[in-house]
Amino acid sequence: MTVASTPELEADRQNLIALITDEAVFHGDFTLSSGKKATYYVDMRRLTLDHRAAPAIGRIMLDLIGEIDGVVAVGGLTLGADPIANAVLHESVRAGTPLDAFVVRKEPKDHGRGRQIEGADVAGKRVVVVEDTSTTGQSALKAVDALRREGAEPVAVAVIVDRKTGAQAAVEEAGLQWLAAIDLDDLGLAPQ
């Protein structure tokens, strides 16, 4: 179980856990983006795009990645990573430790500059991939592959909620650090 670095940040984390439990966990029959079946779904977009949660998400995720040296930008595969990266960007400026943000498209654009990564220039830079939640880690690893092709040095994957379904092992096998702010124990849920 993760604990934030200060009592104030831990209070933010506990408040976010309560919001997730109350408003972002849905029970039923679901198919996850990985194709796996689940009896509950954690819909973090309800909160990453919510004014009550987004500032705390920025603070919590900034704290989570704070010990990694030399990171200059955060982002990940669009759409799930976008509001998280923006929350971290804004909070990092407020905290006096500015980080940039980037967006990884699922495929390179077929017009304009043909870019797959938008926002911060990542070539030669240490970056962290962020996600709302991860089942197998494949979305994060797709972003990592695109970043590596652009010459970036991805060093970690940081998620808000760890579903404890294999993503950590896949990310670590790819040579990256795995960080999670909240896990299923925090939410009172069992792995599926």
Side-chain angles (χ1 to χ4, degrees):
M1 182 182 308
T2 301
V3 177
S5 67
T6 68
E8 295 81 13
L9 285 167
E10 183 57 23
D12 276 346
R13 197 176 81 82
Q14 291 302 320
N15 289 335
L16 182 58
I17 290 167
L19 276 172
I20 294 168
T21 301
D22 292 346
E23 299 184 27
V25 176
F26 296 87
H27 297 274
D29 294 320
F30 300 97
T31 301
L32 305 175
S33 64
S34 63
K36 291 186 176 187
K37 301 294 185 188
T39 58
Y40 62 81
Y41 182 72
V42 182
D43 185 359
M44 284 304 299
R45 288 187 198 121
R46 289 182 58 97
L47 296 176
T48 60
L49 296 166
D50 186 298
H51 72 280
R52 296 168 300 159
I57 287 169
R59 290 188 294 273
I60 292 164
M61 297 303 281
L62 184 63
D63 183 54
L64 193 63
I65 65 174
E67 298 297 316
I68 304 173
D69 290 333
V71 170
V72 299
V74 297
L77 201 60
T78 198
L79 171 80
D82 300 349
I84 302 165
N86 283 320
V88 172
L89 174 145
H90 289 285
E91 184 55 31
S92 73
V93 171
R94 192 199 66 73
T97 56
L99 297 174
D100 288 321
F102 58 86
V103 173
V104 180
R105 296 174 183 275
K106 290 179 174 47
E107 300 295 332
K109 282 175 41 175
D110 61 359
H111 60 283
R113 294 174 56 203
R115 297 176 53 89
Q116 186 169 7
I117 300 173
E118 301 288 354
D121 177 15
V122 297
K125 311 273 176 59
R126 289 170 59 86
V127 299
V128 172
V129 171
V130 294
E131 279 201 317
D132 50 7
T133 186
S134 189
T135 304
T136 64
Q138 295 312 300
S139 292
L141 293 175
K142 184 173 183 176
V144 166
D145 289 343
L147 288 159
R148 287 179 173 159
R149 283 193 302 275
E150 290 291 319
E153 183 188 347
V155 294
V157 171
V159 300
I160 300 171
V161 176
D162 181 358
R163 291 182 57 89
K164 292 187 173 185
T165 52
Q168 178 175 355
V171 165
E172 289 175 346
E173 186 176 305
L176 302 161
Q177 184 176 355
W178 172 263
L179 301 164
I182 296 167
D183 65 24
L184 295 182
D185 294 335
D186 293 318
L187 300 174
L189 298 170
Q192 299 189 78

